[in-house]
Amino acid sequence: MSITRFVPFRSGLSDVAVLQNRLNSIFQEFARPGGDVSEGSEILAMGHFVPAVDVYEDAQKLVLKLEIPGIRREDLDIRVEGRALTVKGERKFESEEKEENFHRIERRYGSFVRSFTLPPSVNTDEVSATATDGVLTVSLAKKPEAKPKQIEVKVGEAPKQVEAAAKA
């Protein structure tokens, strides 16, 4: 790993922007699959990767969306075991039979595993998964008791107990 001098105040950049750029470069160095790297060398991005995921919920379901471009359906494994959802997959490096001289490989290849702890409000028996345009969408229905209930408000009616207490 190379030593880089940290200069907190550079002209043209705010203090926060300088700090953010430096932190980003530190995390990128640790995220590289090859470990320590001398300056000027390139790393081929072969190895494990972690697809980005968005998780959101509405009144009916919990939804996870994972970025999986280039991963075939048969290379995905989605399982629910107890309160855990696990998504496994592999993006394979496919080279043609002819010899190619790659000048740069930046896409990551290899296998990944993402696990998520599910909340008790999710019905693990009702799970569906679809893949469209490189995005895997996993939907988990909520249990009926976890869904919000609309309560009707009645106007102008006083409860019988309140009327009896008011007369006494």
Side-chain angles (χ1 to χ4, degrees):
M1 176 183 272
S2 63
I3 297 176
T4 306
R5 183 174 175 192
F6 177 67
V7 180
F9 303 101
R10 292 185 187 172
S11 61
L13 291 176
S14 71
D15 299 340
V16 175
V18 170
L19 182 60
Q20 183 177 4
N21 288 340
R22 182 63 189 133
L23 286 172
N24 287 342
S25 67
I26 289 170
F27 284 116
Q28 287 173 354
E29 287 174 12
F30 284 114
R32 290 183 181 145
D36 289 345
V37 180
S38 61
E39 267 193 50
S41 66
E42 292 283 335
I43 295 178
L44 296 180
M46 303 290 283
H48 297 282
F49 70 99
V50 179
V53 64
D54 293 335
V55 180
Y56 67 90
E57 69 178 302
D58 60 22
Q60 308 301 319
K61 63 190 174 302
L62 176 73
V63 179
L64 292 89
K65 290 189 171 193
L66 290 93
E67 291 182 352
I68 57 161
I71 299 176
R72 298 182 311 218
R73 185 179 67 178
E74 53 270 8
D75 293 331
L76 286 171
D77 182 19
I78 304 166
R79 296 177 188 257
V80 175
E81 296 178 27
R83 305 260 20 112
L85 168 70
T86 304
V87 180
K88 296 179 186 179
E90 183 177 6
R91 184 180 315 156
K92 297 176 182 174
F93 182 75
E94 297 178 11
S95 62
E96 297 178 13
E97 292 299 316
K98 64 181 181 176
E99 289 190 29
E100 297 175 349
N101 287 329
F102 283 97
H103 293 279
R104 190 173 193 97
I105 297 176
E106 291 186 352
R107 296 185 300 154
R108 294 193 180 246
Y109 298 93
S111 59
F112 72 89
V113 177
R114 295 290 312 255
S115 292
F116 305 91
T117 302
L118 300 173
S121 60
V122 171
N123 182 355
T124 56
D125 294 329
E126 293 186 41
V127 181
S128 65
T130 58
T132 306
D133 297 331
V135 177
L136 173 67
T137 302
V138 180
S139 297
L140 301 113
K142 288 187 176 180
K143 294 178 180 175
E145 60 268 16
K147 295 177 184 173
K149 297 175 183 143
Q150 181 69 34
I151 299 173
E152 181 182 344
V153 177
K154 297 180 181 178
V155 180
E157 294 183 25
K160 301 288 184 201
Q161 298 141 356
V162 174
E163 290 176 10
K167 290 180 183 177

